[in-house]
């Protein structure tokens, strides 16, 4: 059997790790772990939002999300409110402190983003379009796999 070139997976994974390292470096000044910042950002972007929606957006299992949501609640960065559409669920929104922290992280992250954009040999929009396509394809793969279970 001929081996298929799987560099795309390797490259995407390596880029993910490098991006995580750059974000982690920039977030040190804010004092929030990268995983919690990512969740806080998603909650902030989609608030008020149910954990199941965040799970669908990020592909993170609900059990993992619940633990990290509790960490954000314990730090006073996110608050829960009853979900009027589903009494068994709740909605999440950033607190004023969580919103302030997320905004404070914006400046160092923007500097890192600008440094990356300055090193790209092609226009940033070309990369964004390609990543949108790649992410859409991967989301389809993951959705197909979940449907088969």
């Amino acid at each position: 059997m001929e081996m298929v070139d799987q560099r795309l997976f390797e490259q995407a994974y390596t880029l993910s790790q490098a991006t995580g390292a750059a974000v982690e470096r920039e977030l040190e000044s804010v004092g929030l772990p990268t995983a919690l910042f990512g969740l806080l950002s998603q909650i902030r972007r989609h608030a008020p939002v149910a954990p199941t929606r965040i799970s669908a957006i990020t592909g993170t299992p609900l059990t993992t999300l619940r633990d990290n949501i509790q960490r954000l609640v314990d730090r006073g960065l996110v608050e829960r409110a009853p979900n009027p559409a589903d009494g068994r669920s709740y909605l999440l929104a950033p607190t004023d402190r969580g919103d302030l922290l997320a905004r404070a992280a914006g400046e160092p992250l923007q500097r890192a983003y600008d440094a990356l954009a300055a090193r790209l040999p092609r226009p940033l929009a070309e990369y964004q379009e390609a990543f949108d396509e790649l992410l859409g394809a991967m989301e389809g793969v993951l959705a197909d796999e979940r449907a088969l279970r």
Side-chain angles (χ1 to χ4, degrees), residues 2-130:
E2 184 178 331
M3 187 67 150
V4 176
D5 184 352
Q6 296 178 349
R7 279 184 298 161
L8 183 57
F9 266 1
E10 294 168 10
Q11 291 168 319
Y13 183 78
T14 301
L15 179 59
S16 172
Q17 296 299 306
T19 302
V23 169
E24 192 170 307
R25 183 187 69 205
E26 298 303 325
L27 290 180
E28 279 181 15
S29 65
V30 179
L32 188 64
T34 305
L36 293 182
F37 177 76
L39 178 57
L40 176 60
S41 295
Q42 289 293 335
I43 291 169
R44 187 171 177 247
R45 183 176 298 116
H46 300 285
V49 62
T52 51
R53 176 76 178 121
I54 296 293
S55 177
I57 291 167
T58 64
T60 305
L62 274 172
T63 52
T64 303
L65 275 181
R66 284 189 187 110
D67 291 344
N68 285 332
I69 288 167
Q70 187 59 50
R71 287 179 179 97
L72 289 172
V73 169
D74 291 346
R75 290 174 182 235
L77 303 175
V78 167
E79 58 191 3
R80 293 184 184 103
N83 185 344
D86 180 358
R88 300 166 297 159
S89 180
Y90 53 89
L91 298 175
L92 301 164
T95 61
D96 289 343
R97 183 170 175 241
D99 190 60
L100 183 66
L101 184 70
R103 283 188 285 125
E107 188 176 318
L109 290 176
Q110 187 64 51
R111 280 193 308 267
Y113 188 83
D114 291 344
L116 171 65
R119 288 169 174 78
L120 296 174
R122 294 192 309 267
L124 183 60
E126 289 182 30
Y127 294 94
Q128 291 169 328
E129 184 178 335

